[in-house]
Amino acid sequence: MTILGIESSCDETSAAVMRDGALRSNVVSSQYFHAEHGGVVPELASRAHLTAILPIVREALGEAAVTVQELDAVAATQGPGLIGSLLVGLNLGKALAVGLGIPFLPVNHIEAHLFSTFLQDPHPSFPFLALAVSGGHTLLVRIDDVGAYTLLGGTIDDAAGEAFDKVGKMLGLGFPGGPAIDRLAVEGNPDALAFPRPLLDSGDDRFSFSGLKTSVLYHLRGRARNGVLELHANEIADICASFQRAVVDVLAGKLLRAAHREGIRDIAVVGGVSANRELQLRLRHEAEQRGLRVFIPDLLLSTDNAAMVARLAALKLERHAHGTLDAPAFARLGTTLFSTDNVGR
Ligand code: KG4
Ligand code: ZN
């Protein structure tokens, strides 16, 4: 079984080929973050996808040493994401499938993230908990099988990655803020500043990061003299370390409690924030203490990529999923993925 996966939901164009369960290629283009606009401009991203997508699909096939005629199925991200960007990959995927007379599988971007650890060996066993932490989402999900998901909780305001990005911006660290804060935090004192741990003891699985971000903002305002803020490198490092410690305390604390409550041993942490080294260290340490197994994808598999799209499509095909051309692009996650929707996005 040879599957081509295509991903173009936001600011990365990607194509990947899986053959008989093994990843043969995973080509991911550079980001289309538009520094001069301070973010991704949807129209510019769509145009960049249009230019990039065919060469990237060709490259993925070439690297895998697979011809289009050898493909058994095509999968592409359907949503959530930027509609213009999604349409590029989704329609190319459908066109290829029609032209080749093979099934087309639409893939939910978040669902693909949830299974990104299945690209590695070992991977979680069912049932497992997955914490999806990216720039746009913070979701804690119980996964009983492919297609059987319970949303335990999500953020009620900012996503975890969004908080990293906003704090990074306040500190003048550029975009995205997460990797820069991760780097600088190592040099700072995590106990220097007492930032809040929002909803850590809420007794449910909801998250909130907006208040934490605002605390950092108030701290910076308090440090300004006559409206001018000058921070020494060691102060920036202390803010990064203290902020990151607060985020890690909340994410790890709530995740581990949920695992205990649900009686689940396997935990996957996916999405861009899962690359955070302190979060990884904390979870690995705690997991060892508690006899849990933690699975975190390699960097290229934690950020947006087509390998996870092809992997999920393969899992669905193994379970006899049928292809369909009747799959529109959609912008928001909504609730259709989950059997129980407790909260949020
Ligand atoms: O999953 P992703 O690549 O894209 C989506 O948002 O879908 O996640 C990007 C997010 C950004 O907010 C970025 O700041 C964060 O992941 N991130 C990190 C780290 N690397 C990326 N956050 C904390 N520590 C990191 N090392
Ligand atoms: Zn993503």
Side-chain angles (χ1 to χ4, degrees):
M1 172 69 73
T2 307
I3 303 171
L4 171 68
I6 300 173
E7 152 70 34
S8 66
S9 62
C10 184
D11 59 347
E12 273 156 11
T13 316
S14 179
V17 175
M18 283 204 81
R19 174 168 274 183
D20 300 330
L23 186 64
R24 298 284 289 260
S25 64
N26 183 29
V27 182
V28 184
S29 80
S30 56
Q31 301 218 349
Y32 305 140
F33 184 82
H34 307 104
E36 66 274 28
H37 301 288
V40 175
V41 181
E43 178 63 15
L44 296 182
S46 309
R47 292 184 205 180
H49 284 300
L50 275 175
T51 318
I53 198 130
L54 274 176
I56 282 175
V57 166
R58 284 203 190 94
E59 195 180 331
L61 289 166
E63 223 175 80
V66 162
T67 64
V68 277
Q69 288 77 19
E70 291 174 272
L71 293 175
D72 296 303
V74 182
T77 308
Q78 184 186 11
L82 300 172
I83 290 291
S85 297
L86 288 162
L87 285 173
V88 176
L90 185 66
N91 285 325
L92 175 63
K94 288 180 182 179
L96 272 172
V98 171
L100 295 164
I102 57 177
F104 172 75
L105 282 111
V107 164
N108 183 301
H109 179 81
I110 298 300
E111 190 180 0
H113 269 301
L114 296 177
F115 284 92
S116 54
T117 54
F118 279 56
L119 286 153
Q120 292 167 191
D121 200 19
H123 60 69
S125 304
F126 299 112
F128 66 98
L129 284 190
L131 177 69
V133 268
S134 69
H137 297 93
T138 304
L139 298 167
L140 183 55
V141 184
R142 179 189 163 110
I143 299 179
D144 285 282
D145 198 353
V146 178
Y149 319 121
T150 307
L151 178 59
L152 300 174
T155 181
I156 56 171
D157 42 55
D158 290 354
E162 194 177 350
F164 271 99
D165 294 337
K166 286 179 176 168
V167 168
K169 197 169 172 187
M170 289 177 211
L171 295 173
L173 301 176
F175 183 91
I181 291 175
D182 186 336
R183 245 186 340 269
L184 290 169
V186 180
E187 291 153 31
N189 172 9
D191 301 317
L193 300 157
F195 292 133
R197 270 72 173 154
L199 299 185
L200 176 57
D201 298 312
S202 63
D204 59 22
D205 297 317
R206 291 178 309 149
F207 295 86
S208 164
F209 294 102
S210 160
L212 172 56
K213 165 202 72 188
T214 308
S215 298
V216 177
L217 180 67
Y218 286 163
H219 172 74
L220 293 177
R221 283 202 187 140
R223 279 284 293 103
R225 292 287 164 265
N226 302 321
V228 180
L229 179 67
E230 276 181 32
L231 292 173
H232 299 295
N234 60 332
E235 280 180 90
I236 294 182
D238 282 350
I239 295 169
C240 289
S242 301
F243 164 77
Q244 181 172 283
R245 177 61 55 88
V247 176
V248 169
D249 279 353
V250 170
L251 291 177
K254 301 200 73 150
L255 177 56
L256 293 165
R257 267 181 231 167
H260 181 71
R261 187 194 64 226
E262 300 283 321
I264 286 182
R265 281 193 55 228
D266 283 6
I267 296 174
V269 187
V270 301
V273 180
S274 72
N276 187 267
R277 288 173 296 170
E278 185 178 346
L279 180 63
Q280 293 195 359
L281 282 174
R282 170 79 66 87
L283 286 173
R284 292 199 194 289
H285 175 76
E286 296 281 346
E288 204 170 300
Q289 304 282 309
R290 298 161 191 241
L292 305 173
R293 300 199 300 170
V294 170
F295 301 86
I296 298 169
D298 291 343
L299 193 57
L300 195 59
L301 303 174
S302 65
T303 49
D304 292 349
N305 67 85
M308 64 186 191
V309 173
R311 186 73 190 94
L312 179 59
L315 286 166
K316 294 208 162 184
L317 285 168
E318 279 167 22
R319 287 162 172 75
H320 311 294
H322 296 290
T324 174
L325 293 169
D326 189 18
F330 56 86
R332 298 192 62 79
L333 177 60
T335 57
T336 47
L337 195 57
F338 306 108
S339 57
T340 308
D341 180 21
N342 289 336
V343 68
R345 54 188 178 130

